[in-house]
């Protein structure tokens, strides 16, 4: 690939060439004899041809042998992964022009070309003609624009045949379509492009404002004045002199010192009509500005000497102001916003990088922002000069990444080895990046850039080249592998540099001599945002070639001590290697990709992308399957297949890596052998495509039969369900592709019948929607797999069946390209309908296949069908949401257009909802989280169904004539007809709101009840939804009447609405349940338990808070229902209800005893729980209430008393404090009370009455008595189970008067518990 630094003898070179010719493969194209390839002027290397790509230069196969013949049988094992891939030929007009050059014996040096990454345009200039086309397009479809220069231009532009800068033309492309970054990287097409062309030597500038609109017109021209073109640069200070001078570099090589342009960039000016600004740097140090518009070109010298703008000076110990500097210019960002009035660009001079800003409007103004030295004394800033052995440093070219943050500089260094005294050149890449937190303003003098990585040495010791060769080298960045760069030389070589595994690897783009030179290189736009694709190379004669990422990774070599030029090699092994290449020329891999090459491209984005790890066992198993299947096709026998395949491990892999899946995929993805790249787009309109697809379908059916007869199907069904699912999905996709092909045929037929009619233009645009989608999908596949770049987009689409999901991916990402918002609304609707119809066709075809072969499918539990995947759902939603938007914004359309849009959207809605429901089912079966998917499904369903129903109502209101046909049907009947299909879809997908709206608008209670019976989904389905709607509208009578027919469903619903549940339970004669419901409602603490009817709704008071009177009413109703229930425990329920009634009445009594304050208002408004009532009584310090708290405890349950035992103890303490026990004790002692008097006095105490209430013979409690919670006497604690329980006696023992009045206290509680005829003072609560 590379040539060394030393020359070899002419004799040796000549002998090796002659020997190589004798070893030429017999079937290779004839290589011209050495004698016939001599140039007019003898070069230093004997018999070296004028053209050709990289060295070593020995006879080799013609490039035609590398381009695959159309009828070659492609095999995956023939593909050489380290070879470049043929992308496509030149347009025919270029071949014709090149042929005319040969007849006229025009030197090949006048042919030049280039590639523009931003617009994906390539160009070739032959003589005075410029040919421009998109290098993304398939060769037969290339639309080539031909521009022609005035005939006197070439006469003034003396090219100089011995110059390495053989073309002397600089071309810049201006894209008018967009001044912002293109997000649609697949649909990267230009509709308006301007061209700025400049001759480096004569400084003549030519401008085409719009080459797509002004084809065949002459450009706007501007020629330099005689004084301007003779300006030269002084060797030292750069001052201009009017005469041409000759300068000598330090190697003794002379060059012409004429002032010429070295670099050209151009930018559109926002807010203008096809006006742009171009900037060119001159070897004299000048910076020129050209304002280009359709009316003319204005020239302006911005800077006289850019070298003097350096903030660090020029004392770097090397030549400055030579013809090579300023070297190159580059925009910092390739794209800019319309609102931006400024753009920055970089300028590379001999020792530093300068950054300028140009103000685009209102006036063009260029100002310097900063400059930073990259060749100087500080090695941390870039390249350190004056190192031992270093003589001179040349920064050769500069490139910037798409984000404008990383700058890469190609550098050549002239060195001398002090040991051997030999001189050599070292090539390296310097990578700089912006420092963090650096504020860039005008004329910055601080450091702006820093090294991103150490200097990457490409070739450590290369041959000494003259300065012209060095300055002919160009740099490109951005291709795959990530971080790689490609170096182009003026001699036509291209070398990819890639830092891989801690070392630099070089890959030389290598084609035979008749390919001509490499003119330029660019990058294929990747289909993934934020990432570029593979390298693509423009050759002089052999068309366009791509360099796969795998080729760079696998074919890269360590940097040799050789040059990047083509001069001969001194190593004897190079000729021998060339001989071996010629001997085995018959084994050269065809560059045409086969069906096995689908996965050989650049499919992944990390690490060793495109390299599939397949074991020898996998290869053996796949070969074995192929052998058995081939035998089955011939003989129909499958003897021993299953056992052999099991032993080979064919059933071990799962998913896409399973060998059965790979075999199935190879069947459905096979490329047609008889399709060629030269037949053009018309191939897709022929029946051969359909025939090829049918052949695939028949072969895939045979493969399924092979699986069944060999028992492999049974083995897969039991152990590998997923691979079997994928195999059958291949059949689904193949069936869908066939139906899609038939749909495209139908569209083409309709278009052909419309030719000549007034609507032919309209038909052409409409029929292109599906065609554009096919092109996008095929284009994406071609770019992801560069081995397919020489195939037509449609051919790739119809062949790559297994990736049918990419149709929906392109719909999601590139819909704005297929349906432009600039088109009339009618066109948008028709194109949207075509795409929708295609999606529905794909889905229904797949479902039909599945229904037909349902017995072949494995159990579906947990398996997600391909049409339920996220990419498919998002693609369907993309077109559906676009159609929704059209429905909302196109009220002025006629009935037919809206009807067509509605019908297609309705069908698409059904498909989308089916896909979403299938995905949900699979996730639920696998036990995975599916809440997000449910929300997506619900939101899309409701949006689609609601919009469709609104459109139906619009049709009804507008009096849809196509349906009524002039009859006198009323609106309800029209609505019933129009909504029938929508009703069916809504019913299947639980679109309850739509079902409800239809039934309400039809006022059809019968339909409503039928739907409620049929739609029994989760939580009673549609019935639950109807109940909820009626409840929201306060239509309780209608709601309860539905309970006659939907008894169980309404019961479930009303569990959340107890205020109505008891009515339904009474209707069902469930009186006990009604009693319980009323009881719970009466004691509920929830607000709004009392519902209001539709007529009682008050905007200020909806669902009022129930009062104590309302609660008493509910308790009384509960008591009545309990009596009506006549259950075994009805008496217990009645007793419980009566106790709660007593508590409720007790709260009302407290209201009268409490003073008027906030506490009383709170008691009046809400129901207090028993503990709140008791605490309120204790705080009141009322003697009457102190006794009534024991009634509250008695009316509650045993569980309440146990849980509130501490509160009960507080009540006993409070009761003991109500009487003056010290005074009673003194009186008993002083007066000497008898037993009768003692009983009489103690019966009036609170302790006596409380004891009688809680422990007396007539004491009544709910459930267990007080003894279970708080025994009366201390000796009762000996009872088992009560050892940890306190007693009333223990509580009294803590009283302050107990030491002297304890006997009276104990007597009072003991007499109270056995006394049964105590007279209770009036005013206390009766013990009922």
């Amino acid at each position: 690939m590379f040539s060394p630094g030393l020359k070899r003898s002419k004799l040796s070179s000549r002998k090796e060439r002659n020997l190589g010719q004798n070893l030429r493969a017999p079937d290779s194209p004839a290589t011209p004899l050495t004698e016939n390839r001599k140039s007019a002027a003898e070069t230093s290397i004997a018999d070296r041809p004028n053209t050709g790509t990289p060295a070593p230069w020995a006879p080799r196969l013609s490039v035609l042998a590398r381009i695959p013949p159309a009828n070659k049988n492609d095999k995956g094992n023939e593909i050489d992964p380290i070879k470049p891939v043929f992308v496509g030929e030149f347009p025919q007009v270029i071949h014709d022009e090149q042929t005319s050059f040969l007849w006229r014996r025009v030197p090949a040096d006048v042919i030049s070309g280039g590639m523009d990454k931003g617009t994906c345009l390539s160009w070739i200039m032959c003589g005075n003609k410029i040919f421009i086309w998109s290098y993304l397009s398939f060769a037969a479809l290339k639309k080539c624009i031909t521009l022609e220069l005035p005939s006197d231009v070439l006469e003034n532009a003396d090219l100089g045949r011995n110059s390495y800068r053989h073309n002397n033309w600089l071309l810049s492309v201006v894209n008018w379509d967009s001044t912002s970054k293109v997000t649609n990287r697949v649909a990267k097409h230009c509709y308006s492009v301007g061209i700025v062309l400049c001759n480096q030597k004569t400084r003549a500038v030519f401008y085409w404002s719009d080459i797509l609109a002004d084809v065949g017109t002459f450009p706007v021209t501007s020629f330099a004045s005689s004084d301007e073109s003779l300006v030269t640069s002084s060797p030292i200070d750069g001052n201009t002199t009017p005469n041409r001078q000759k300068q000598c570099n330090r190697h003794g090589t002379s060059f012409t010192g004429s002032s010429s342009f070295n670099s050209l960039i151009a930018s559109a000016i926002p807010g203008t009509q096809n006006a742009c600004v171009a900037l060119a740097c001159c070897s004299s140090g000048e910076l020129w500005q050209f304002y280009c518009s359709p009316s003319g070109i204005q020239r302006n010298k911005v800077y006289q000497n850019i070298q003097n703008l350096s903030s660090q000076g020029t004392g770097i110990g090397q030549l400055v102001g030579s013809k090579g500097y300023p070297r190159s210019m580059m925009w910092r960002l390739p794209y800019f916003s319309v609102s931006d009035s400024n753009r920055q660009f970089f300028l590379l001079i001999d020792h530093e990088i300068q950054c300028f800003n140009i103000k685009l409007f209102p006036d063009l103004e260029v100002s310097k922002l900063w400059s930073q030295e990259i060749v100087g004394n500080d090695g941390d800033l870039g390249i350190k000069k004056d190192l031992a052995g270093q003589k001179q440093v040349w920064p050769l070219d500069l490139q910037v990444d798409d984000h404008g943050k990383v700058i890469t500089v190609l550098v050549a260094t002239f060195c001398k080895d002090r040991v051997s005294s030999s001189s050599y050149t070292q090539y390296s890449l310097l990578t700089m990046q912006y420092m963090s937190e650096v504020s860039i303003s005008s004329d910055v003098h601080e450091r702006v850039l820093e090294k991103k990585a150490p200097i990457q040495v490409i070739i450590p010791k290369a041959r000494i080249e003259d300065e012209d060769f060095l300055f002919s080298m160009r740099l490109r960045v951005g291709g795959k592998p990530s971080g790689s760069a490609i170096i182009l030389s003026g001699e036509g070589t291209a070398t990819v540099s890639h830092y891989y595994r801690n070392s630099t690897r070089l890959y030389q783009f290598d084609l035979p001599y008749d390919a001509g030179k490499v003119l330029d290189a660019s990058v294929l736009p990747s289909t993934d945002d934020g990432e570029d694709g593979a390298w693509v190379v423009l050759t002089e004669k052999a068309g366009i070639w791509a360099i796969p990422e795998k080729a760079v990774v696998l074919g890269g070599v360590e940097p040799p001590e050789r040059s990047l030029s083509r001069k001969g090699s001194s190593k004897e092994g190079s000729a021998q290697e060339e001989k071996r290449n010629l001997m085995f020329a018959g084994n050269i891999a065809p560059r045409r990709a086969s069906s096995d090459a689908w996965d050989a491209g650049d499919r992944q984005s990390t690490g060793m992308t495109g390299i599939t790890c397949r074991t020898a066992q996998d290869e053996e198993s796949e070969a074995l399957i192929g052998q058995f299947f081939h035998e089955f096709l011939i003989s129909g026998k499958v003897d021993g297949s299953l056992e052999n395949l099991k032993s080979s491990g064919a059933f071990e892999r799962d998913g896409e890596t399973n060998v059965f899946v790979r075999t199935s995929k190879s069947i459905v993805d096979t490329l047609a052998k008889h399709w060629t790249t030269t037949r053009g787009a018309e191939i897709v309109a022929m029946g051969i495509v359909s025939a090829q697809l049918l052949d695939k379908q028949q072969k895939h059916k045979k493969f399924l039969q092979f699986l069944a007869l060999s028992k492999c199907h049974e083995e897969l069904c039991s152990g590998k369900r997923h691979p079997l699912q994928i195999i059958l999905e291949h059949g689904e996709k193949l069936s869908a592709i066939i139906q899609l092909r038939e749909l495209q045929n139908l569209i083409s037929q309709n278009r052909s019948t419309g030719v000549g009619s007034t609507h032919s233009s309209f038909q052409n645009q409409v029929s292109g929607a599906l065609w554009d989608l096919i092109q996008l999908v095929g284009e994406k596949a071609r770019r992801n797999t560069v081995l397919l770049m020489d195939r037509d987009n449609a051919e790739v689409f119809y062949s790559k069946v297994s990736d049918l999901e990419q149709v929906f991916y392109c719909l999601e990402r590139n819909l704005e390209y297929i349906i432009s918002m600039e088109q009339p609304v009618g066109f948008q609707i028709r194109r949207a309908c075509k795409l929708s119809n295609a999606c529905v066709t794909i889905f229904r075809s797949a479902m039909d296949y599945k229904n037909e072969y349902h017995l072949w499918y494995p159990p579906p539990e947990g398996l997600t069908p391909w049409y339920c995947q996220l990419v498919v759902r998002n693609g369907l939603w993309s077109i559906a949401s676009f159609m929704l938007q059209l429905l909302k914004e196109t009220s002025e359309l006629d009935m037919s257009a809206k009807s067509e849009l509605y019908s297609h959207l309705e069908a698409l809605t059904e498909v989308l909802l089916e896909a979403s429901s299938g995905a949900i089912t699979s996730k639920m079966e696998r036990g995975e989280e599916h809440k997000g998917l449910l929300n997506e499904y619900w939101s899309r369903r409701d949006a689609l169904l609601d919009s469709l129903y609104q459109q139906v109502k619009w049709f009804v209101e507008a009096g849809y004539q196509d349906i009524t046909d002039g009859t006198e049907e009323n609106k309800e009947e029209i609505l019933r007809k129009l909504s029938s299909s929508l009703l069916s879809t809504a019913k299947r997908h639980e679109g309850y709101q739509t079902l409800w709206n239809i039934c309400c608008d039809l006022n059809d209670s019968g339909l409503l009840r039928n739907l409620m019976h049929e739609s029994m989904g989760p939580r009673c389905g549609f019935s639950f939804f109807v109940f909820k709607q009626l409840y929201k509208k306060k239509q309780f009578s209608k709601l309860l009447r539905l309970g006659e027919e939907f008894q169980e469903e309404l019961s479930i619903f009303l569990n959340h609405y107890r205020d109505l549940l008891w009515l339904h339970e009474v209707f069902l004669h469930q009186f006990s349940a009604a009693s319980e419901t009323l009881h719970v409602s009466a004691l509920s603490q929830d607000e709004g338990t009392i519902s209001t009817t539709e007529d009682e709704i008050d905007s200020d008071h909806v669902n009022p808070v129930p009062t104590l009177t309302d609660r008493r009413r509910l308790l009384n109703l509960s008591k009545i229902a309990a009596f009506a229930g006549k259950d075994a425990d009805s008496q217990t329920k009645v007793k419980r209800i009566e106790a709660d009634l007593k508590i409720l009445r007790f709260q009302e009594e407290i209201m009268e005893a409490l003073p008027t304050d906030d506490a009383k208002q709170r008691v009046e408004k809400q129901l207090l729980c028993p503990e709140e009532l008791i605490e309120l009584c204790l705080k009141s310090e009322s003697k009457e209430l102190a006794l009534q708290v024991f009634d509250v405890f008695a009316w509650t349950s045993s569980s309440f008393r146990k849980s509130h035992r501490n509160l009960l103890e507080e009540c006993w303490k409070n009761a003991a404090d109500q009487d003056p026990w010290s005074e009673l004790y003194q009186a008993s002692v002083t007066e000497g009370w008898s037993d009768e008097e003692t009983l009489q006095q103690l019966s009036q105490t609170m302790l006596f009455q409380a004891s009688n209430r809680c422990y007396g013979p007539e004491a009544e409690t709910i459930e267990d008595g007080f003894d279970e919670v708080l025994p009366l006497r201390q000796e009762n604690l000996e009872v088992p189970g009560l050892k940890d329980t306190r007693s009333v006696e223990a509580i009294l023992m803590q009283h302050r008067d107990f030491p002297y009045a304890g006997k009276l206290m104990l007597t009072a509680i003991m007499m109270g518990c056995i006394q049964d005829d105590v007279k209770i003072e009036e005013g206390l609560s009766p013990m009922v």
Side-chain angles (χ1 to χ4, degrees), residues 1300-1311:
Y1300 44 84
K1303 185 177 180 180
L1304 290 177
M1305 290 182 178
L1306 294 177
T1307 302
I1309 62 173
M1310 293 306 299
M1311 296 301 294

Side-chain angles (χ1 to χ4, degrees), residues 34 305 420 525 592 709 784 822 966 1004 1205 1233 1277 1291 1314:
T34 303
N305 195 325
S420 61
R592 191 73 175 229
L709 294 176
N784 282 341
E822 300 176 356
D1004 191 341
R1205 185 176 61 186
W1233 290 349
L1277 294 179
I1291 296 172
I1314 61 175

Side-chain angles (χ1 to χ4, degrees), residues 5 391 414-417 420-425 462-464:
K391 299 301 180 181
F414 171 58
C415 303
K416 186 172 183 180
D417 193 330
S420 61
S421 299
S422 61
S423 298
Y424 61 88
T425 303
R463 180 197 311 107
I464 297 299

Side-chain angles (χ1 to χ4, degrees), residues 8-26:
R8 60 178 175 176
S9 65
K10 299 180 183 180
L11 179 61
S12 174
S13 176
R14 189 185 305 269
K15 288 180 178 179
E16 291 171 359
R17 284 179 174 81
N18 294 334
L19 179 60
Q21 286 182 355
N22 295 332
L23 294 175
R24 178 173 53 87

Side-chain angles (χ1 to χ4, degrees), residues 91 498 1242 1245:
H498 172 46
L1242 293 180
T1245 64

